[in-house]
Amino acid sequence: MTPPPSPLSRRGAVAGAASLAGTGVTVPTGAPATRADSRSLPRDAVVFRDVRPLGATNPVDLTVVDGRITRDRAPKGAKVIDGGGRIALPALVDAHIHPDKTTWGGSWVSRKPADTIADLAAQDAELLRSQSRPVAERAYGLMAHAVTRGTRAMRAHADIAPAYGLACVEGVGQASERLRHALDVQIVAFPQHGVVRAPGTAELLEEAARSGLVDMIGGIDPISFDQAMDEQLDLVFDLADRYGVGLDIHLHDRGETGLTVLRAIIERTRALSLQGKVTISHVFCLPGLSDTELARMAEDLGDLDISLTTVAPNESLVLPIAKLREHGVRVGLGSDGVRDSWSPFGNADMLHRAHLLGWITDVRLDKELAACYAVGAHGGADVMRLPRADLSPDSPADFVLLRAECLPQVVVDMPARDMVVHGGRVVARDGKLI
């Protein structure tokens, strides 16, 4: 079944369902709930001349009024931008990224061996202390780069721990404010060092939720890492319930350990009537389930409108997106960490991530390649409760213009994003932010 859309937190209004034309891929949509939705600003009318929406054979003029696509004639005096026969595709959404951790744009950092989350979290703190550039500057550089590659929105996880206080959350907030004309951002206060095992974290989570600095609060592996499942989940669910924020919980545990946590999240979501306000990231315990077990779990997730995100790390850990969608589960795609203490890899390019999704799942057909793009464009929008930028009338005018023959080729070849449009405004051109 497909659950009805529901508001995420203190922001947003409901948008209808839509699909990526020609792919047969449809996933549920929800309500916009982002801390910097630039579509509230006035827009001039713009005509993007000679473009091919979704790779259509014949070029058309795409008209934008007040930041939204319209089928009406352009008003007199509308600005005209020549698309030069380029394909217009929906802009992409990064549903899971850690911009506060990045060293993007700075000197190369040589990583040290690490075997556990605790080791990596300790290296996060060491790396932060070694950086001459503050979080706000590093996060801005990465987030601005994401915009130039066609990202319209992102859910940004920012570490919160006694080692940092609120510095990472505040830094990402400053970066998102600088980019509010080009990027819609939700911020998650992420307890990377644990909620219970790092004394003082619970108080910081409450301060972040109460102050309005964040849209969501997070959790991490309540059993294997925090070793206090009930205490962690009771605490974060209570904060979400009291302060009206969402939840986005990292769950790396596999097998029965992960499933135990998953069932506990489902139970608390149901008990507190937090339908539509909970996301679980990674969820490595799901891919190994049988079809029968997966269907049973997916039905609960769909009924409670619990969203999931994947970063497509490899074939065995990527979520079974199509099967989950059959039960109305929202599934978004994300970048995860980018050039941080955890890994030297990553580039915050969601087209590349859609390409990786196709690569590791060994897709070959055009409709399968198009479906990978749909996850990158619409899956994250559904998770973030944003209206889909599907180029249909009244949809947000968030799109990219690039040179290619068709959508499947775009996923494979990853051509340059010649122009990025957000809310009807050109915000990036030829790889540079405007």
Side-chain angles (χ1 to χ4, degrees):
M1 64 173 289
T2 299
S6 56
L8 175 64
S9 60
R10 294 162 281 191
R11 312 170 180 89
V14 175
S19 64
L20 188 61
T23 70
V25 177
T26 304
V27 285
T29 56
T34 177
R35 62 192 338 275
D37 191 341
S38 58
R39 271 167 290 282
S40 61
L41 302 175
R43 294 283 189 266
D44 294 331
V46 184
V47 176
F48 292 86
R49 180 151 294 163
D50 191 23
V51 300
R52 296 187 293 124
L54 304 173
T57 303
N58 298 318
V60 299
D61 291 349
L62 200 60
T63 302
V64 177
V65 175
D66 294 330
R68 293 188 175 268
I69 305 293
T70 180
R71 61 163 55 94
D72 298 334
R73 292 173 61 91
K76 186 177 180 180
K79 183 178 180 181
V80 177
I81 296 176
D82 184 14
R86 291 173 176 83
I87 290 180
L89 292 178
L92 296 144
V93 175
D94 194 327
H96 187 104
I97 188 171
H98 294 265
D100 64 314
K101 297 176 183 286
T102 193
T103 63
W104 185 269
S107 301
W108 181 257
V109 173
S110 298
R111 277 77 189 168
K112 301 176 181 178
D115 297 319
T116 67
I117 290 178
D119 292 339
L120 290 162
Q123 290 189 23
D124 280 337
E126 183 180 336
L127 182 65
L128 179 66
R129 290 191 295 269
S130 73
Q131 292 294 298
S132 60
R133 297 179 299 151
V135 170
E137 181 181 337
R138 290 184 286 110
Y140 173 82
L142 183 65
M143 293 159 72
H145 172 76
V147 170
T148 69
R149 295 318 187 253
T151 294
R152 64 182 279 235
M154 64 172 54
R155 180 173 288 178
H157 294 256
D159 282 8
I160 190 166
Y164 315 121
L166 299 176
C168 295
V169 165
E170 291 169 343
V172 172
Q174 291 167 23
S176 66
E177 188 63 25
R178 288 179 66 186
L179 288 165
R180 68 187 308 270
H181 69 289
L183 184 69
D184 297 333
V185 181
Q186 290 176 350
I187 299 177
V188 184
F190 173 48
Q192 176 70 83
H193 294 200
V195 176
V196 177
R197 67 182 286 157
T201 300
E203 291 77 10
L204 288 169
L205 286 171
E206 181 167 12
E207 183 179 353
R210 182 181 61 245
S211 66
L213 286 172
V214 299
D215 302 276
M216 315 188 81
I217 58 173
I220 181 171
D221 298 330
I223 294 179
S224 67
F225 184 61
D226 233 6
Q227 299 181 358
M229 183 184 78
D230 289 335
E231 188 175 353
Q232 180 188 134
L233 292 182
D234 287 347
L235 190 150
V236 297
F237 269 86
D238 176 66
L239 291 177
D241 187 41
R242 279 195 286 137
Y243 294 107
V245 295
L247 284 172
D248 193 326
I249 298 172
H250 282 57
L251 182 56
H252 306 97
D253 291 332
R254 309 177 199 185
E256 188 56 36
T257 300
L259 292 172
T260 298
V261 176
L262 191 54
R263 294 186 194 104
I265 292 172
I266 288 171
E267 290 170 3
R268 285 165 173 79
T269 303
R270 182 180 291 114
L272 292 174
S273 299
L274 292 178
Q275 289 90 337
K277 300 187 71 173
V278 177
T279 301
I280 312 173
S281 293
H282 304 307
V283 212
F284 292 158
C285 58
L286 281 182
L289 295 180
S290 68
D291 286 348
T292 300
E293 293 171 321
L294 179 64
R296 189 180 304 118
M297 190 66 73
E299 184 175 359
D300 284 339
L301 294 170
D303 287 344
L304 292 169
D305 201 3
I306 296 174
S307 302
L308 309 178
T309 64
T310 183
V311 299
N314 57 51
E315 182 182 4
S316 65
L317 294 178
V318 65
L319 290 177
I321 298 170
K323 292 179 180 179
L324 289 164
R325 273 203 308 254
E326 291 174 2
H327 296 271
V329 181
R330 306 170 193 260
V331 184
L333 185 64
S335 293
D336 208 9
V338 177
R339 202 168 295 182
D340 54 24
S341 64
W342 291 59
S343 172
F345 292 99
N347 56 16
D349 184 339
M350 284 303 297
L351 178 53
H352 183 225
R353 189 62 52 165
H355 172 99
L356 290 175
L357 176 62
W359 178 276
I360 67 167
T361 54
D362 195 28
V363 305
R364 299 167 185 270
L365 304 181
D366 282 2
K367 67 178 182 180
E368 295 171 333
L369 290 164
C372 290
Y373 194 92
V375 176
H378 301 323
D382 297 339
V383 169
M384 289 183 64
R385 315 294 161 138
L386 291 166
R388 291 184 179 182
D390 61 3
L391 304 180
S392 65
D394 202 40
S395 66
D398 295 350
F399 54 89
V400 294
L401 295 179
L402 39 76
R403 293 194 180 278
E405 181 180 350
C406 59
L407 174 53
Q409 182 204 351
V410 168
V411 175
V412 172
D413 289 348
M414 298 177 290
R417 275 46 40 105
D418 295 337
M419 199 178 302
V420 181
V421 178
H422 186 78
R425 289 179 174 174
V426 177
V427 295
R429 194 188 294 267
D430 298 327
K432 295 183 179 180
L433 190 71
I434 296 177

